[in-house]
Amino acid sequence: MFKLTFKQQVLTGFTVSLLFVFVSAITSYFSIDKLNNDTKWQSHTYDVINLLNNLKSQVLNSETGIRGYVIAGNREYLTPYQQNATKISPTIREVRRTISDNTEQLIILDSLEFYANQKLDEMKEVLRIYDIDGNEKAGQRVMLGPGQLFQK
């Protein structure tokens, strides 16, 4: 049988221990790197969700302002429309910049942008009808017009 001297046994034990520490360090490094990467993507996901929630609020607030104005005839109800309608395009651009690395999401964003632009055009048309024909015609447009096709 193969016999080791005391010095060789100590060196072998030290080498094996050092090898375990080295493997443990490498494993820890890759684990921490993966955790950091996962955290980055989680943060990115929340950024996109927040931007999309902002976009949804901007469209809804704009539409609510238009409807309030048509119903009440009070120009103060246009404030939410005026404050939010101008934010929609910049928010879409920010979403596009944030998801620029994902072509599948960019395709979905294109359809969302089309939807938002259709809603904005319809709101402008309702205002135009209100200015020309009054709140009754504008109210009919709101209730029966193409804007109803863009729901949900």
Side-chain angles (χ1 to χ4, degrees):
M1 179 122 216
F2 175 58
K3 234 166 185 238
L4 297 175
T5 66
F6 179 74
K7 184 178 181 183
Q8 289 173 329
Q9 290 175 355
V10 169
L11 283 175
T12 302
F14 180 73
T15 304
V16 169
S17 297
L18 192 60
L19 183 63
F20 280 128
V21 168
F22 183 68
V23 168
S24 177
I26 290 174
T27 304
S28 295
Y29 172 79
F30 285 115
S31 177
I32 291 170
D33 187 51
K34 183 176 180 340
L35 178 66
N36 285 337
N37 193 38
D38 290 348
T39 302
K40 181 187 118 198
W41 282 110
Q42 181 182 18
S43 175
H44 177 270
T45 299
Y46 283 120
D47 289 344
V48 172
I49 289 169
N50 288 334
L51 284 168
L52 292 173
N53 282 334
N54 288 342
L55 180 62
K56 178 182 176 183
S57 293
Q58 291 161 358
V59 171
L60 288 175
N61 289 337
S62 297
E63 187 173 31
T64 300
I66 293 289
R67 288 175 181 228
Y69 174 62
V70 168
I71 291 169
N74 185 342
R75 283 215 164 269
E76 288 181 24
Y77 285 104
L78 282 178
T79 302
Y81 168 75
Q82 293 164 339
Q83 289 175 342
N84 288 285
T86 58
K87 296 177 183 176
I88 292 171
S89 289
T91 302
I92 290 172
R93 281 193 300 273
E94 180 67 16
V95 173
R96 187 174 303 283
R97 185 192 63 74
T98 305
I99 63 170
S100 63
D101 59 338
N102 189 325
T103 54
E104 188 175 314
Q105 287 180 353
L106 286 170
I107 292 168
I108 295 168
L109 181 62
D110 288 341
S111 66
L112 183 61
E113 182 177 22
F114 176 78
Y115 163 81
N117 288 330
Q118 292 293 323
K119 289 296 274 185
L120 283 172
D121 291 344
E122 179 59 21
M123 287 184 258
K124 290 175 188 172
E125 181 62 16
V126 168
L127 284 178
R128 189 188 71 73
I129 291 171
Y130 186 92
D131 290 341
I132 294 171
D133 297 324
N135 71 333
E136 188 175 322
K137 291 277 187 186
Q140 288 175 356
R141 177 68 180 226
V142 168
M143 296 304 292
L144 304 172
Q148 296 301 314
L149 299 175
F150 305 128
Q151 297 300 324
K152 297 180 182 172

